Amino acid sequence: MKVSIIGIGSVGAAVATAVKNTGLVHEIALYDRDNVRSYAAAEDLGHASAFSYDVKITAVNNYRGIRGSDIVVIAAGANQKPGETRTDLLNANAAVISDIVPRVMANVDSKNVTLVIVTNPLDVMVMLAQKISKLPPSRVIGTGTMLDSARLRAILSRQLSVSTQSINAYVLGEHGDSSMINWSSASIGAIDLNTFCRQAKISLPITTRNTIEHRVQNAAYEIIRGRGATWDGIAAAVADLLRCIINDERRILTVSTVAGAGTSALAMSLPRIVGRGGVITTLVPRMTAPEKSALRRSGKIIRKNFDSISG
Ligand code: NAD
């Protein structure tokens, strides 16, 4: 199993470490237009390999080096500076994806490869990468709201004093400011959230839920203010997604992938079964009318942003 990572900045380097630590890949190729950076990362990571799995880690200075990749992760491009939104990166990163995807496609087997998109604004970049690559939408997968859903589960875990592993709760829509929490499908174990709260004598009123939603939507801004960028959470999300694909685990993940065609094509996050073939099935969870309209509003924002770059 060969994985290539394009863009070896804060995120790409952390993704390389997390993917190496899955023990599921035999080779990782690192490409960045800044060769010095990718060579340094490959050296450092190669030394780390001596303490874990034997993985061949190489920095490649052109796209021929990614030949034979089963999965290509794209984490290149501008990141948010303090105060910037993901949408502020739209034009700069559309140019980056338009530069990278044709070069990737010229060096991979289009019948086999899966593209994993990390670059923001995520959903629009998934739409652009799918359009340029002409791959089936099921094999152009954005990490979407996997990270947002993990943030939600982490907050709920503290609030409810129950393991994140027992919390099924999804953030859906855009990986961005218009994401929404699908409270009505949330469950703890097999028990719906409201019933759980009643039985555990925990109060989760609408004001608390709104605060939680605000914290989830603003988590990246807080981390960027303190650390300059975010990388650990997204790296763990990518490694988890790759594990699910490589092992054909068929877990339900809130990834972003294109659905529909022509002017109604749209990528956003919904719960989807993911396995060897990429996205296998998209599921539509229970939603209240206000949740449905929040999801529709999120979709419209993504589509409008995509239209603005497609001219
Ligand atoms: P960074 O600035 O640290 O690294 C970006 C790297 O991309 C640089 O090394 C740069 O040389 C490289 N690059 C730029 N254009 C390139 C090109 N055309 N070809 C090859 N390499 C190129 O940024 P970062 O913090 O690693 O973030 C990378 C991207 O990931 C950003 O768009 C950021 O917003 C996004 N991100 C997404 C999520 C998510 O949940 N999807 C989370 C965090 C960050």
Side-chain angles (χ1 to χ4, degrees), residues 6-13 31-34 37 63 74-81 86 89 93 95-97 99-100 117-122 143-144 147-148 151 175 228-231 234:
I6 315 296
I8 313 300
S10 308
V11 171
Y31 176 82
D32 196 290
R33 67 177 178 192
D34 178 349
R37 201 170 197 187
Y63 280 88
I74 302 182
N79 61 7
Q80 291 165 263
K81 305 294 172 283
R86 295 176 181 90
L89 311 171
N93 285 349
V96 170
I97 294 293
D99 167 47
I100 291 172
I117 310 298
V118 178
T119 304
N120 277 319
L122 190 278
T143 46
L147 181 52
D148 315 66
R151 287 169 176 157
H175 170 62
T230 73
W231 57 85
I234 182 60

Side-chain angles (χ1 to χ4, degrees), residues 16-23 28 44-55 57:
T17 303
V19 170
K20 174 184 77 64
N21 289 341
T22 63
I28 304 176
D44 203 8
L45 212 58
H47 303 160
S49 271
F51 297 101
S52 57
Y53 302 99
D54 270 332
V55 183
I57 297 163

Side-chain angles (χ1 to χ4, degrees), residues 83-272:
E84 271 185 338
T85 68
R86 295 176 181 90
T87 310
D88 290 331
L89 311 171
L90 189 59
N91 291 319
N93 285 349
V96 170
I97 294 293
S98 304
D99 167 47
I100 291 172
V101 173
R103 296 172 201 265
V104 167
M105 293 313 296
N107 288 283
V108 292
D109 173 7
S110 61
K111 292 197 178 59
N112 170 52
V113 76
T114 299
L115 300 187
V116 170
I117 310 298
V118 178
T119 304
N120 277 319
L122 190 278
D123 304 281
V124 179
M125 297 304 119
V126 170
M127 292 174 76
L128 186 60
Q130 194 275 326
K131 185 179 168 192
I132 297 170
S133 66
K134 298 190 178 66
L135 286 174
S138 57
R139 285 194 279 120
V140 183
I141 308 174
T143 46
T145 54
M146 279 182 77
L147 181 52
D148 315 66
S149 298
R151 287 169 176 157
L152 171 62
R153 289 166 59 217
I155 295 171
L156 283 177
S157 168
R158 280 179 229 139
Q159 197 91 21
L160 307 176
S161 295
V162 63
S163 164
T164 51
Q165 304 303 315
S166 296
I167 299 174
N168 297 304
Y170 301 128
V171 178
L172 305 178
E174 183 194 20
H175 170 62
D177 296 344
S178 73
S179 68
M180 50 80 66
I181 296 178
N182 180 209
W183 290 108
S184 47
S185 77
S187 68
I188 313 301
I191 301 164
D192 73 83
L193 179 62
N194 293 338
T195 307
F196 175 88
C197 287
R198 254 196 323 277
Q199 291 184 8
K201 299 190 175 27
I202 293 169
S203 160
L204 208 59
I206 186 76
T207 46
T208 310
R209 293 180 192 217
N210 289 344
T211 306
I212 292 173
E213 188 152 50
H214 181 78
R215 284 178 61 198
V216 169
Q217 284 171 342
N218 284 279
Y221 294 107
E222 292 294 323
I223 297 167
I224 290 166
R225 232 190 317 278
R227 276 187 120 178
T230 73
W231 57 85
D232 285 325
I234 182 60
V238 173
D240 192 52
L241 172 57
L242 264 54
R243 192 181 303 122
C244 194
I245 295 170
I246 295 166
N247 288 340
D248 196 20
E249 289 177 11
R250 294 172 179 245
R251 274 186 288 128
I252 296 174
L253 304 175
T254 53
V255 290
S256 180
T257 196
V258 176
T263 51
S264 64
L266 180 68
M268 67 171 167
S269 289
L270 286 169
R272 303 180 200 273

